[in-house]
Amino acid sequence: MWDYLITNTLICLLAFCMLFLLKDSPARLGFYVVITALVAWFIPWHLVSEIPALSESVNPFTENIFSSLLWLQTEQASYVKGAVDSAVNINNATIKGSENFLFDLITWETVFGVFCVFGLILFIKDIVNYHFDLKHWYDFSIEDNSLWEDHNFKKHRISIRILDGCAPGMATGLFKPIIWLNRKNRRSKETETILTHELTHILQNDPAWMWFINFIQRLFWWNPLVRLLAKSARQQIELSCDEKCYQQLHERYSDDLVNILLEEAKAPTQYIATISMASGSNFNVKRVIKLTKEIKMKFKHIVVVMFGFSLFSFVGVAVSQQDESLTKNLTEIENKQQRSARINLYRDNELHNELVDELLQITRLAKSNSEETLKQILVDLAKWNTTRRTGPEQRSESALKTMSFTISCYLLDKLNRYDEIPDSYDVLFPETPIEKALFLKHHVATAYIKMGQPEKALDLMADVIQRQPKPKSGSLSLIAQANLAAANYNEVIAVAEQITESSGNERVKIYALNLKRSAYLAMNKEDKANEMNNILKDTYSVEGSEPKLMGFASPLLPYLTAVN
């Protein structure tokens, strides 16, 4: 939307500059300049850059010109992080509820559309009023086509109607044009001049142009630039008509014009989309003055028009193309921001990233509570594992398999199909026995505990502590849970002590105390269990509870949306 407004604003400013340079040129030339600027408001400039012939020819220039505009690239890029954060916040607010629904609807495009609809209503109102005006004039006027012969005009099919209280002369009608003549000018010495003027308007199709100008002004009623251009276009129509009439009647036309304008200034009349011979007082003075000057098309006028129209096209394509380029740059920066946060997913390799995107697409509904949905994801995931492209390198391939396996564990856990997890590992990692794994060993061990086979979990985790330079609280917690399930309560207490020593995290310490409490309760040592309860209450202000077995972690989970 902004590139559309910027483009047309620049074109309007160029049009006004051209009018200034063309002030001593034929008025019809200036009229076409103004009309071009008005028509530009109907052009979706963001689509023009997609035309290869235009974009390719302009691109080398736009890159050099706009690269120097720091406000368009450097300064805007510095706000990308804030813009990305704002977009994320808006999306989150939309997911949370519908309270911002109205604000989601209010976009620049929506406001623009509403304004245009209102402008169409105003235009329809003008048509209705014009219809009633014509009907009224018909009812209170008489036809007098004899004036053509009286003033030595060629025979015309254009009707002349005599009306009281109107301007000296008016021209209306697209298909059946009519000249309306004030009754007091029916037999005056200026009658021929008035008829010549209005007939010239009709021959130049000015009534149609007036309707077109009125349509644009109504449609863009909110736009001051369009209003100024519309006013200028109407003035250029009058100046053009004056020039044509002066070529026919010479000094007589300028003398009669002064008399007509002075008379009309006493009681000016204006109607919708009608062409009246008289205009505003300041412009009337300009009309008379311009008739005293010699108006001819000069070479410099042709140069101004050609150069100006070239600039119109250049600005239209260049700004929209630069906006597209800027948007692309911002998108790339945004993607880098996002990918830096997903360090466990993406790498500096296009093929790897495409495979990650495919995996995210397949598992996008993994947080759903629908059993059928989860089953289908597992089916699609198994198919993807067998048909997908191989990762670009060994590390990439291993990372992709890890992502796939961990999300499979998460899904199987939700479906209570723990027994399939060990086999799932063997399918994905046939070359690496689970005994030699490290991180993924935790998933299989957790599955064994949930399957009621804690001994297998303990066997699997036997060498984990030795392989870790410093025992991790997660590994220790899993070993403690396996011992608790295997009724090795003294081992649970010993491992819980290790957990407390390995971490300064308050939540981890609470978890370790709950492990001890559960072990003491299982050993019927209620005094020790109560001691653990008192420590939990006095130190951490929490009640003792059953320590829960950790779920199945996956690097994909933070990037999947919650689903009802």
Side-chain angles (χ1 to χ4, degrees), residues 366-432:
K367 292 185 178 181
S368 170
N369 294 321
S370 169
E371 185 174 331
E372 292 303 318
T373 300
L374 300 180
K375 288 180 179 178
Q376 186 59 50
I377 294 173
L378 283 170
V379 171
D380 294 341
L381 193 56
K383 182 179 179 181
W384 181 79
N385 284 325
T386 57
T387 61
R388 68 173 173 84
R389 294 166 290 175
T390 304
E393 57 183 6
Q394 182 58 40
R395 289 181 59 195
S396 169
E397 181 66 15
S398 177
L400 290 166
K401 287 182 177 181
T402 299
M403 294 177 207
S404 177
F405 174 68
T406 54
I407 198 66
S408 295
C409 292
Y410 174 80
L411 294 165
L412 291 168
D413 180 38
K414 294 182 73 172
L415 292 170
N416 296 321
R417 289 160 51 180
Y418 319 113
D419 56 318
E420 297 180 30
I421 291 177
D423 292 338
S424 178
Y425 175 86
D426 293 337
V427 170
L428 281 172
F429 298 92
E431 73 286 351
T432 308

Side-chain angles (χ1 to χ4, degrees), residues 6-18:
I6 291 172
T7 300
N8 284 305
T9 298
L10 291 175
I11 288 176
C12 288
L13 294 176
L14 283 172
F16 288 126
C17 291
M18 290 175 67

